[in-house]
Amino acid sequence: EVQLVESGGVLVQPGGSLRLSCAASGFTFSSYDMHWVRQATGKGLEWVSAISTAGDTYYPGSVKGRFTISRENAKNSLYLQMNSLRAGDTAVYYCARGSYDSSGYTFDYWGQGTLVTVSS
Amino acid sequence: ELVMTQSPATLSVSPGERATLSCRASQSVSSNLAWYQQKPGQAPRLLIYGASTRATGIPARFSGSGSGTEFTLTISSVQSEDFADYYCQQYNNWPLTFGQGTRLEIK
């Protein structure tokens, strides 16, 4: 059974840093792209970052230069290093698996999320 | 950045009725579009990808159509468990972007 379990979400002050983790199991982790997606309370979904199987990374402008996605295949783990945090980064952060087939690309499995609160 | 616009923001239907949700892209995304369902307190669940391919285990009452810039998610006969938020998402261009969501509520 595929499982993604996020951890590391806490209350942090503006300007602070935080590292989120996502522990993967039930599939060959190294064979899949991985993503972070966030959702502020009562708001929609926002894609935050992606890392390919080859280690290529992608970010939207809202977090580029502040967030760093990484993976450790030997530990079946995904990470998100978040620096210079702002109130607007407050959200539930989900990790999601990216999967290709002949019909397209999907986030086919999601974790349950970890809450990051940025506040003084 | 490619903008995805969903309409309506809220759709009120009675159980058994047909529901039609729309998603428009600010530029062509070909068929590189997915739909997700999210219930309160839960992670999103993949429904449709490639604009029209149902994900594993998704009931046949869910169907997707469209290409280019106009897409539709149709629920042929809404069941009680279908009342939720729905998001479209394009994966044709970086950054990946979601629509703002449509809430399907009970009429």
Side-chain angles (χ1 to χ4, degrees), chain B:
Chain B
E1 176 176 304
L2 204 154
V3 177
M4 307 300 292
T5 303
Q6 292 185 241
S7 61
T10 304
L11 181 61
S12 299
V13 302
S14 299
E17 290 186 338
R18 184 183 190 89
T20 302
L21 290 68
S22 296
C23 175
R24 174 177 291 178
S26 60
Q27 63 189 74
S28 177
V29 299
S30 185
S31 294
N32 296 318
L33 184 108
W35 290 94
Y36 296 86
Q37 176 194 67
Q38 188 180 33
K39 297 180 180 178
Q42 296 185 16
R45 178 175 74 142
L46 174 67
L47 297 176
I48 300 285
Y49 64 107
S52 60
T53 301
R54 272 190 305 277
T56 302
I58 300 303
R61 64 181 181 272
F62 290 91
S63 64
S65 64
S67 66
T69 62
E70 300 285 343
F71 300 89
T72 300
L73 174 68
T74 302
I75 311 172
S76 58
S77 177
V78 175
Q79 305 299 300
S80 58
E81 61 268 30
D82 300 336
F83 292 101
D85 294 331
Y86 292 83
Y87 295 92
C88 63
Q89 179 241 331
Q90 66 82 20
Y91 50 88
N92 194 66
N93 293 73
W94 298 104
L96 307 182
T97 48
F98 290 89
Q100 81 279 19
T102 290
R103 177 157 293 175
L104 183 64
E105 65 174 27
I106 302 174
K107 189 173 183 179

Side-chain angles (χ1 to χ4, degrees), chain A residues 44-103:
Chain A
L45 301 168
E46 181 186 12
W47 171 76
V48 171
S49 59
I51 186 165
S52 72
T53 57
D56 298 318
T57 58
Y58 304 86
Y59 306 93
S62 58
V63 307
K64 194 168 187 178
R66 299 190 300 123
F67 289 11
T68 302
I69 188 172
S70 62
R71 64 191 302 162
E72 192 167 357
N73 291 337
K75 293 187 175 181
N76 292 335
S77 292
L78 177 72
Y79 305 103
L80 185 67
Q81 177 67 41
M82 302 186 293
N83 298 331
S84 303
L85 283 162
R86 309 164 179 166
D89 297 318
T90 295
V92 173
Y93 285 72
Y94 296 100
C95 70
R97 188 179 84 167
S99 183
Y100 289 97
D101 71 15
S102 59
S103 293

